[in-house]
Amino acid sequence: MNRDLVLHDWLVAGIALAAGALAGLLLRALVRWLAKHALKTRWSGDDIVVDALRTLAPWAAVIAGAAVAASTLPLSARVSGYVNQSLTALLVLLATVSAARVVAGFVQAMAQSRTGVAGSATIFVNITRVVVLAMGLLVALETVGVSIAPLLTALGVGGLAVALALQDTLANLFAGVHILASKTVQPGDYIRLTSGEEGYVVDINWRNTVVRNLSNNLVIIPNGRLARTNMTNFTQPEQQLSILVQVGVGYESDLEHVEKVTLDVVDSVMADINGAVPDHEGAVRFHTFADSRIGFTVILGVGEFSDQYRIKHEFIKRLHRRFRAEGISIPAPTRTVDLQQSGPRPAFDASPPAVPHQRDTPPPMPANSGR
């Protein structure tokens, strides 16, 4: 300290702190006004930037006021250096947190725009956030005079021990990155595993994949298991798919008429029901001479996997009603059983059943009987 503190020094420092606080309040009000206008735009990037500035701008103004106040005080060079380093490190940490929010927000917005799912793939979001925060922390340590070279060396040696202790966790992490990078599964896809689990992929995070089945329950699948198992993706390469409905008619039916009536019903369902594909060209394929009917397959088009149940429901109702109106029979399976006997049936015998003859037998002699 070059000289003693006087009232003027405290007054100037207080004015600087008050100016910084006032500037922080004004910036906070300005950011709120910008947030309201950002909500009216279609681009989500401005919302992300304004949300990050909501914390950074006011505190940056307060830190600037504190720096000005410190510069007006008659502090020694050593104390002034400590104060400047501390304020700079604090500002770097605030900027790092805001930058992590912005970068993670853009990554999440990009993933959401590609998949259309709000949960999106948080594994990339979390990795991006951790990387940005780690870089900012290293810069802050370097600012306060802490050498980061030994720290990086220690992290490299300790990372090997951590990797050995967290083999399953790291395996799931890299499996999740591989799944997303290969684009075999994306949030929003409908998948079915060979083990029976199926549903919409809600999120792929650093450890597991969250799947929501049609009963609105969540199924948690480890990423490593998902990468190793056989799986059917009903959304790729395209979301629309074809479904097969099995039908049968009697042998006396006119098959040309049956095909025409069935195709009319298919066209009406495709045009009227929500979730169907209006431009889908229906198809009927006869394939089996069964025991009591001629079997054929009807091919329908649906917009996505869960629509098939509604489409099948309406198609079966309309086809049954139309077949009844046209006089087309759908015979039920029948079987005739003929019981035959090899010889003539014996006449009724009224005599009582024979009673087996019984005779008295003497008891056995003892094996060691004496005279």
Side-chain angles (χ1 to χ4, degrees), residues 126-274:
N126 292 332
I127 291 175
T128 303
R129 184 181 290 113
V130 169
V131 170
V132 175
L133 290 176
M135 294 177 61
L137 180 61
L138 293 178
V139 173
L141 291 176
E142 189 72 22
T143 302
V144 297
V146 177
S147 179
I148 63 174
L151 180 60
L152 293 177
T153 304
L155 289 176
V157 176
L160 179 60
V162 173
L164 293 176
L166 301 177
Q167 292 184 11
D168 294 339
T169 302
L170 293 177
N172 289 324
L173 172 62
F174 289 110
V177 174
H178 171 70
I179 289 172
L180 289 173
S182 61
K183 297 182 180 181
T184 55
V185 177
Q186 298 290 329
D189 293 352
Y190 192 95
I191 62 173
R192 177 185 294 164
L193 307 184
T194 53
S195 54
E197 295 89 350
E198 63 177 278
Y200 290 98
V201 178
V202 177
D203 186 23
I204 302 177
N205 54 46
W206 61 276
R207 182 174 178 81
N208 49 52
T209 299
V210 182
V211 176
R212 177 176 56 84
N213 55 26
L214 295 180
S215 59
N216 207 28
N217 296 321
L218 295 181
V219 182
I220 311 301
I221 305 172
N223 292 333
R225 179 188 170 193
L226 185 66
R228 292 191 303 267
T229 189
N230 295 334
M231 173 184 57
T232 303
N233 192 331
F234 292 94
T235 308
Q236 297 185 18
E238 59 182 10
Q239 192 171 15
Q240 295 182 359
L241 67 152
S242 299
I243 59 174
L244 309 179
V245 180
Q246 305 299 327
V247 191
V249 294
Y251 277 92
E252 72 281 357
S253 303
D254 183 0
L255 298 186
E256 294 291 339
H257 182 59
V258 169
E259 182 177 5
K260 180 179 180 302
V261 170
T262 304
L263 290 177
D264 290 342
V265 175
V266 172
D267 293 339
S268 66
V269 171
M270 293 296 100
D272 300 340
I273 306 304
N274 185 24

Side-chain angles (χ1 to χ4, degrees), residues 337-350:
V337 180
D338 186 10
L339 299 178
Q340 296 181 355
Q341 193 170 7
S342 58
R345 185 175 182 180
F348 176 74
D349 189 2

Side-chain angles (χ1 to χ4, degrees), residues 1-6 9 74:
M1 182 178 294
N2 298 328
R3 58 181 176 81
D4 295 334
L5 292 174
V6 296
D9 296 330

